[in-house]
Amino acid sequence: MLFRSLVLALSLASVQAADNDGLVRMKLKKRSAHAMVADHLKRENDALQLALENGSAPEAMDMAKKLVMLRGSNLDEDFEEQVEVAEGKSENIIIKDYSNAQYYGEVMIGTPPQKFTVIFDTGSSNLWVPKTKCKNCGYWFIHGGKSKYNAAKSSSFKKDGSDFQIQYGSGSVKGYFSQDDITLANDIVVKNQKFAEVSNAGGLGVGYVMGQFDGILGLGFEKLSLGGANTVFKNAIDQKVVSQPVFSFALGDNKDGELTLGGYDDSKFNGEIAWVKLSEASYWLIDIDDITVGRISSGKTNGIVDS
């Protein structure tokens, strides 16, 4: 692939570049730590209240327990006390190891376009979204549920049917491959993209259920791609719908960021870019001379630039 490198920039100010610079920009939304914690507390109490209102209904109690597990509680000992929390008898709710940042943006699949919220992930290379009737793919009362791809509603859909299963550090998802047109930033249309319709996301657990995203769009290299699928950005390059084989992130500081396709926006940083040669085109793998923490030194090593 003809990528030069990946540019990561932290943006503390929002400065708009000229509209005629040939770049295509995609907004990246960010949830603040405060918003994530507040939303979680509300949903947890709502779930517990649902269990109360439905008495011993197994479905309600099971869902309430799954949400309570985010706090690392011992269900056998603490669940009755947690139900009291939902009744307003206590306000002490503790959340453990809940991520304080998520960046996500929108893509559209099919004709007419179906909209999905995805994480743009440089640590993987496949695009997947949940399909209709997907199991363990969210609930309507959490973020309004997940958006699900419906092949029957897309005139540009092409059947593939080969199996798909990918393992992330947080768990796995599985389904099958299909082909359809992918629209990025309303301006870039990638034709006949091979992607995965996920039929079961249970391996990701409650982290996916509570997450603010439907699927993942991989921005790694083909070496990591399952099923022999070209990445979305590789196809965008080959189909000449981006001006340069470059993409860049500007991550907002407690505000929205931006993913730029086809180049980089020099209004988002000061100084000059230092280009770093990749040591391997799989992950965005680079050589590192040294990492020092206090008096401990790693010596020469390597690492990946992972969004």
Side-chain angles (χ1 to χ4, degrees):
M1 190 184 297
L2 299 176
F3 295 3
R4 290 179 65 192
S5 185
L6 172 68
V7 181
L8 285 172
L10 290 177
S11 173
L12 300 181
S14 177
V15 183
Q16 293 297 325
D19 293 334
N20 61 354
D21 58 7
L23 303 179
V24 178
R25 296 168 174 81
M26 300 182 69
K27 289 293 184 184
L28 296 178
K29 300 289 184 181
K30 178 183 178 181
R31 298 186 71 203
S32 67
H34 176 78
M36 292 179 75
V37 171
D39 285 352
H40 171 66
L41 294 177
K42 182 179 185 302
R43 278 188 295 274
E44 187 179 70
N45 281 334
D46 287 348
L48 292 170
Q49 188 64 46
L50 180 67
L52 288 171
E53 293 171 353
N54 287 275
S56 58
E59 298 84 358
M61 297 298 285
D62 286 347
M63 176 49 56
K65 288 183 178 182
K66 286 179 181 178
L67 291 174
V68 170
M69 284 176 67
L70 284 172
R71 295 195 275 145
S73 301
N74 183 314
L75 295 178
D76 294 333
E77 297 177 0
D78 296 342
F79 189 65
E80 293 304 321
E81 178 182 346
Q82 293 158 22
V83 170
E84 291 181 356
V85 169
E87 292 180 311
K89 296 181 180 178
S90 172
E91 295 179 357
N92 298 318
I93 301 178
I94 299 172
I95 302 176
K96 297 180 180 179
D97 299 324
Y98 196 55
S99 176
N100 65 358
Q102 290 182 356
Y103 290 90
Y104 51 91
E106 292 181 347
V107 300
M108 292 180 285
I109 304 176
T111 308
Q114 302 173 40
K115 186 181 294 185
F116 299 90
T117 299
V118 298
I119 291 176
F120 295 95
D121 177 28
T122 58
S124 65
S125 298
N126 289 92
L127 166 63
W128 65 263
V129 294
K131 66 182 293 292
T132 53
K133 299 183 180 179
C134 176
K135 297 179 181 178
N136 304 303
C137 287
Y139 304 92
W140 63 267
F141 54 87
I142 300 176
H143 305 311
K146 305 293 185 185
S147 296
K148 297 179 176 66
Y149 174 75
N150 189 337
K153 292 185 176 181
S154 174
S155 62
S156 49
F157 162 78
K158 293 180 181 178
K159 185 177 180 179
D160 181 296
S162 54
D163 291 338
F164 171 81
Q165 182 168 351
I166 189 168
Q167 180 73 40
Y168 297 99
S170 52
S172 66
V173 298
K174 60 184 178 180
Y176 53 82
F177 283 104
S178 296
Q179 289 187 37
D180 212 331
D181 295 347
I182 311 297
T183 303
L184 307 171
N186 298 317
D187 293 313
I188 296 176
V189 179
V190 179
K191 298 287 188 180
N192 301 318
Q193 174 66 43
K194 187 173 181 178
F195 73 103
E197 297 185 49
V198 165
S199 56
N200 192 332
L204 297 183
V206 292
Y208 175 61
V209 172
M210 301 299 293
Q212 193 85 6
F213 65 98
D214 303 313
I216 292 178
L217 191 154
L219 288 169
F221 291 87
E222 280 65 45
K223 189 173 182 179
L224 297 180
S225 183
L226 301 178
N230 280 344
T231 68
V232 174
F233 196 61
K234 174 65 162 58
N235 278 337
I237 295 168
D238 292 346
Q239 295 175 24
K240 302 186 187 304
V241 293
V242 291
S243 57
Q244 297 182 67
V246 176
F247 64 87
S248 56
F249 288 94
L251 304 181
D253 184 11
N254 289 316
K255 58 185 177 183
D256 293 350
E258 197 168 74
L259 167 61
T260 302
L261 302 172
Y264 58 89
D265 185 346
D266 57 14
S267 73
K268 301 295 186 184
F269 61 91
N270 296 318
E272 299 295 323
I273 292 177
W275 297 94
V276 180
K277 184 178 180 180
L278 294 176
S279 56
E280 181 182 314
S282 52
Y283 297 99
W284 290 88
L285 185 69
I286 60 174
D287 293 328
I288 298 173
D289 294 331
D290 187 48
I291 299 174
T292 303
V293 180
R295 291 183 291 179
I296 300 174
S297 174
S298 69
K300 286 188 177 296
T301 183
N302 58 25
I304 64 171
V305 183
D306 187 0
S307 62

